[in-house]
Amino acid sequence: MEEDLPGGRVRILTQETQIGRPAAEPARQTPNPMLNGHQAWLDGLVRAAFGKVRA
């Protein structure tokens, strides 16, 4: 879900589910690769918003 905010800002609400066998082992690891992957995706959204995405 996306919400436009004042000042040219936007709020993006994300939701993910980490269930089932494939998610069980990574969920127990530290650092958590699933959380790191989600953060990398968010960082990519920021780069895209500022036009800093490599082709």
Side-chain angles (χ1 to χ4, degrees):
M1 175 176 14
E2 175 185 318
E3 176 186 355
D4 291 331
L5 300 172
R9 298 175 303 142
V10 66
R11 176 182 297 146
I12 299 174
L13 175 64
T14 65
Q15 181 178 349
E16 66 181 77
T17 304
Q18 298 177 6
I19 58 173
R21 273 189 152 151
E25 180 58 32
R28 288 190 292 268
Q29 294 177 13
T30 302
N32 185 318
M34 290 188 286
L35 293 178
N36 291 341
H38 188 75
Q39 185 61 51
W41 175 73
L42 292 171
D43 293 343
L45 285 177
V46 171
R47 284 192 305 276
F50 285 101
K52 296 179 181 178
V53 175
R54 289 182 259 160

